[in-house]
Amino acid sequence: MTPKFAVFGQPIAHSKSPYIHQAFAAQRSQSLAYERIGPEENEFEDAVRTFFAEGGKGANVTLPFKERAYAMCEVRTERAEQAQAVNTLWMEKGILHGDNTDGAGLLADMIRNLNWKLINKRILVVGAGGAVRGVLGCLLTAGAEEVVITNRTYERAQGLAEQFSLRAVALEDLHQEAPFHIIINGTSASLAGEGLALPSSLLAENACCYDMMYGEETPFMQWAQRHGAQVSDGLGMLVQQAAESFYRWHNWRPATMAVLQSMRQQV
Ligand code: ATR
């Protein structure tokens, strides 16, 4: 029987996960079904239970359900515990397991695809919502000299700073900071077409700026480019987090570069 996979989210119509997982499976002539499921707000848990009861092998979870997926799992990986959110589900001996591959996806994209150097570098993370909490644990394993967090609402940055033993800086105090080699935009400002109004003094020479959003060039990316920084959107992170999920389910690591390149052409 063709193994069944799915991605849960709302809205979900534009999810690229089916395309990515089918492309990975094609690399080893494997056939699998991968569907999009968009349950109503109050039906997520039931939809997940039904999916696995009907033989589903694995599921991805995206907004707004990652925290609820986390709450459903009986067994979670350490990185899922840190993120308090789960984007990868599977069943083992009738027990629901959860992982979070977002942080590993971000690191793999920056280090392997983009060839950015993180070791001994200063990294600034902007934002303090679920997207940032999902990746901070992994980011802290990258050997940076320091990871600093800032956010429009300073208290939220402080909360994450305490949880992850980092330093939080208020937006209005950023001009006092030494320059950063890497700046990561984990806010949803780009979704609304808004920039971040960061002082350009934050950019070290040859700085690299990453927007976790993808789809089009964001105001944050345009700001970074104007000041001579290297930039990337988050499309590579999307492909790399999918590769981590694929590995978790199939115990086999797909090649990601060709998939990423074909998606770039489509975008
Ligand atoms: P997610 O789970 O996608 O991270 P979230 O929890 O709503 O969503 O968090 C959104 C993040 O983007 C927050 O850090 C938010 O800042 P606040 O905590 O001050 O709300 C940030 N954000 C959203 N719009 C922004 C904007 N226009 N400028 C700066 N930060 C913005």
Side-chain angles (χ1 to χ4, degrees):
M1 214 172 62
T2 310
K4 242 175 38 151
F5 297 86
V7 57
F8 289 81
Q10 188 59 265
I12 199 66
H14 298 291
S15 169
K16 298 187 191 313
S17 293
Y19 173 84
I20 299 172
H21 281 270
Q22 293 291 3
F24 290 162
Q27 291 174 9
R28 55 175 195 170
S29 307
Q30 179 185 349
S31 75
L32 57 80
Y34 192 113
E35 61 177 326
R36 300 180 180 87
I37 301 179
E40 295 295 327
E41 169 77 33
N42 56 353
E43 289 173 355
F44 170 70
E45 286 78 5
D46 281 347
V48 169
R49 281 188 209 105
T50 303
F51 173 77
F52 283 108
E54 290 176 350
K57 292 283 176 233
N60 286 125
V61 181
T62 185
L63 297 179
F65 297 129
K66 290 184 188 182
E67 284 80 10
R68 282 164 65 178
Y70 170 84
M72 284 183 77
C73 291
E74 273 188 72
V75 179
R76 309 171 189 116
T77 60
E78 192 185 333
R79 57 196 187 180
E81 289 291 353
Q82 283 184 326
Q84 293 165 34
V86 153
N87 75 339
T88 306
L89 294 168
W90 69 102
M91 203 62 98
E92 268 176 47
K93 298 188 180 130
I95 294 173
L96 189 62
H97 286 57
D99 189 11
N100 190 315
T101 65
D102 286 333
L106 172 65
L107 275 194
D109 192 36
M110 289 196 296
I111 296 170
R112 281 196 255 133
N113 297 341
L114 296 163
N115 204 19
W116 291 359
K117 308 282 180 254
L118 274 58
I119 292 173
N120 296 330
K121 302 293 182 185
R122 283 171 51 75
I123 302 181
L124 177 67
V125 179
V126 190
V132 166
R133 201 181 53 226
V135 300
L136 272 182
C138 276
L139 202 55
L140 289 172
T141 66
E145 179 192 309
E146 188 180 19
V147 178
V148 173
I149 183 167
T150 188
N151 189 45
R152 182 175 63 181
T153 309
Y154 176 61
E155 292 70 28
R156 289 184 87 190
Q158 264 184 319
L160 284 185
E162 265 169 43
Q163 184 191 334
F164 288 94
S165 306
L166 316 169
R167 189 160 61 88
V169 177
L171 276 181
E172 54 273 23
D173 295 333
L174 280 175
H175 63 276
Q176 297 170 4
E177 287 291 309
F180 291 89
H181 306 98
I182 310 266
I183 301 182
I184 298 169
N185 179 13
T187 74
S188 51
S190 304
L191 261 186
E194 288 167 17
L196 295 175
L198 300 174
S200 58
S201 61
L202 288 181
L203 292 166
E205 206 174 330
N206 300 320
C208 298
C209 290
Y210 195 98
D211 200 318
M212 283 164 59
M213 295 282 152
Y214 61 86
E216 55 195 62
E217 206 175 68
T218 65
F220 168 71
M221 289 165 69
Q222 289 164 354
W223 167 82
Q225 261 166 342
R226 269 202 308 281
H227 292 96
Q230 285 186 63
V231 302
S232 178
D233 71 357
L235 193 66
M237 174 180 169
L238 179 77
V239 174
Q240 293 297 154
Q241 63 78 30
E244 287 282 324
S245 296
F246 197 93
Y247 177 68
R248 173 69 64 190
W249 296 328
H250 306 276
N251 201 24
W252 185 81
R253 237 174 236 294
T256 52
M257 209 38 128
V259 179
L260 178 55
Q261 279 165 356
S262 81
M263 291 178 72
R264 281 257 177 256
Q265 280 161 9
Q266 289 168 33
V267 172

